[in-house]
Amino acid sequence: PTDTRHLPEVPHYLARQDGKSPMVKRALLYASDASNHDGSDDEDEVVQEDESGNITTNRLKICANRMARQVASSLQQAIDEGGYGHASPLRMAVHVGSDTGRHRSVVVCELAAVSLRSILRMNVGNKLTQPISVGTRHRDIERNRHEHKDKDGDNNSGSYNHQKARSKQKELESDW
């Protein structure tokens, strides 16, 4: 499990959107860049160089890259030592959490998936011999979307709730 509560929060005007929104991603990445230049050294790793030589000071990207490297290492170890492969496939779940599970953790998870795919594509030294697929699932975003769906499957939760309240009120009035 990875905790992302130490990373910058989403701005209040984007709180209703989820982490898959490009505006939320952009705002969090910008806030993470800006927070690195305030002189505070609350994290031990403020600068990181990736495999291609690019240097980043973005805390979200550093967290995602660190997570991707750990997952790639665990995958390699599981394939080598655990005997996983075509006959016995390996399924791995990585849990990333934050306060609501809708913004920071989603952005970090998506960035980590991109970084992990990059690491797997490079496959330095051909260490990974099995085909590997990387996917993401965001429990809290999916739960929130399912809670706000109306009968027809549309995301018009506000109008549906309003219609439901009106029909209930009419029922009560007709009983009199």
Side-chain angles (χ1 to χ4, degrees), residues 45 48 51 64-74 119:
E45 209 175 331
Q48 182 185 49
E51 295 80 17
N65 290 339
R66 183 183 312 131
M67 189 172 23
R69 286 192 312 271
Q70 290 173 347
V71 169
S73 171
S74 297
I119 290 170

Side-chain angles (χ1 to χ4, degrees), residues 1-7 60 62-64 66-68 70-71 93-99 104-105 108-109 112:
T2 302
D3 186 11
T4 60
R5 288 181 289 182
H6 65 282
L7 298 172
L60 263 79
I62 290 172
C63 182
R66 183 183 312 131
M67 189 172 23
Q70 290 173 347
V71 169
V94 178
H95 300 274
V96 181
S98 62
D99 292 329
R104 291 173 287 191
S105 59
V108 167
C109 185

Side-chain angles (χ1 to χ4, degrees), residues 142-161:
E142 291 169 6
R143 182 185 321 155
N144 194 27
R145 286 185 180 157
H146 290 301
E147 286 174 358
H148 295 298
K149 287 201 178 213
D150 65 43
K151 293 184 224 180
D152 303 328
D154 295 333
N155 270 336
N156 299 328
S157 61
S159 64
Y160 173 68
N161 289 336

